[in-house]
Amino acid sequence: MRASLIQIAVDPDESVEARRQRAASLVVAQRGSDLVVLPELWPVGAFAYTVFEEEAEPLQGPTHEVMAKAAAEAGVWLHAGSFVERAPDGTLYNTTLVFAPDGGRSAVYRKIHRFGFDKGEAVMMGAGEELVTVALPQTTLGLATCYDLRFPEQFRGLVDAGAETLVVAAGWPERRRAHWTLLAQARAVENQAYVLAVGTAGTHADIPQAGHSIVVDPWGEVLAEAGSDEETLTVEFDPAKVGATREQFPALKDRRLGLAPPS
């Protein structure tokens, strides 16, 4: 399976519409990949709280339209990162869209864990409530966004729901880059799954971004890692390795806590 992680830079001098079109062009350029992944809140910037209200859009707004078209043109599964969604009741969400190679929408995930403590996303946005997986022909994706990476119970729930490849779209700050790499590897090892984690590059809202998108295999080995600047990280991996790893080292079968009671 071939995956391309687009580590797009969020430039405050670039309009949202211009970045949508540029992101679409980057997606289309990945023809031949099976899966393409964009980072968190790339249209506006994950820390650009002051524009969330202004740039919020409905679920089937301009980002949905442009990304659906790009997925179809490239013929790829597209995890379109996330954008600021305004729900019909006015609530804002940090929302991920996944599109099939024909451009049809396959999944919607609203970020469960909101970052900011007593400001920003944590107080401006609603929290998602549902774990979301997406069945591709080669593997089943489990979806998570940025701050979710710090909550292992979410990933274990995704694995229990059948996930074999955990996809994390992020806008992770440079000052905590060591945590980014450590947590991505930890989520891979403890769940015996691939982790595809893609972040933004550049600086927005005066926050330098970590970049360093990373692909980790079920043993915790780093298969590929980007640098700090905008780039597309493409890697080929064998989804069958998940099942083989879980069979060879069946740690998940030895779980005793957090299991649903027998019916």
Side-chain angles (χ1 to χ4, degrees), residues 25-107:
S25 296
L26 291 169
V27 170
V28 172
Q30 307 315 310
R31 286 192 190 94
S33 288
D34 300 295
L35 172 67
V36 177
V37 187
L38 286 165
E40 178 190 28
L41 295 177
W42 55 268
V44 296
F47 289 90
Y49 307 135
T50 58
V51 301
F52 282 4
E53 281 281 355
E54 177 186 352
E55 298 293 349
E57 53 187 289
L59 188 68
Q60 292 186 261
T63 296
H64 185 293
E65 179 181 358
V66 169
M67 292 293 103
K69 182 179 178 182
E73 190 171 345
V76 298
W77 286 90
L78 174 61
H79 179 304
S82 71
F83 69 102
V84 181
E85 176 202 358
R86 188 186 305 279
D89 67 0
T91 303
L92 302 185
Y93 291 98
N94 188 336
T95 299
T96 288
L97 303 171
V98 178
F99 297 96
D102 64 359
R105 191 178 75 221
S106 294

Side-chain angles (χ1 to χ4, degrees), residues 5-11 22 26 37 39 170 172 174 177 180 197-204 207-214 225-234:
L5 283 58
I6 300 178
Q7 184 171 285
I8 194 166
V10 180
D11 182 347
R22 188 164 66 84
L26 291 169
V37 187
W172 202 275
E174 165 60 29
R177 179 161 65 86
W180 166 251
V198 56
T200 48
T203 297
H204 60 264
I207 306 292
Q209 297 297 287
H212 286 266
S213 299
I214 191 169
E225 183 174 1
S228 300
D229 298 327
E230 179 168 305
E231 66 175 282
T232 298
L233 184 69
T234 298

